[in-house]
Amino acid sequence: RRVKPGREADFQAWAHGVVAAAHQFPGHQGASVLNDPGSREYHILFTFADRKSMRAWLASMPIT
């Protein structure tokens, strides 16, 4: 994701909520929010036990 200048805190709050939701999802094994200091680019990585669990997670999220 590319975050607009000044919206970093909003994005980080949103990402924290998504990661917290993922921790409750069946098959979830971990999540990370990655960002290089000074960059507007963020990456959210999720790990699931299997492809079926990952697909269920992706299907549960609205497209934004």
Side-chain angles (χ1 to χ4, degrees):
R1 307 261 180 177
R2 179 171 285 188
V3 179
K4 292 180 181 179
R7 300 296 307 268
E8 295 86 359
D10 293 332
F11 176 81
Q12 290 172 4
W14 173 82
H16 177 76
V18 171
V19 168
H23 281 290
Q24 304 302 316
F25 208 82
H28 178 262
Q29 294 184 324
S32 300
V33 179
L34 305 174
N35 168 259
D36 286 331
S39 174
R40 293 188 307 141
E41 297 285 331
Y42 287 78
H43 303 276
I44 305 173
L45 303 176
F46 298 97
T47 304
F48 287 90
D50 52 48
R51 211 175 267 250
K52 182 179 176 182
S53 298
M54 180 193 67
R55 286 184 179 149
W57 166 253
L58 293 173
S60 76
M61 305 226 4
I63 297 173
T64 58

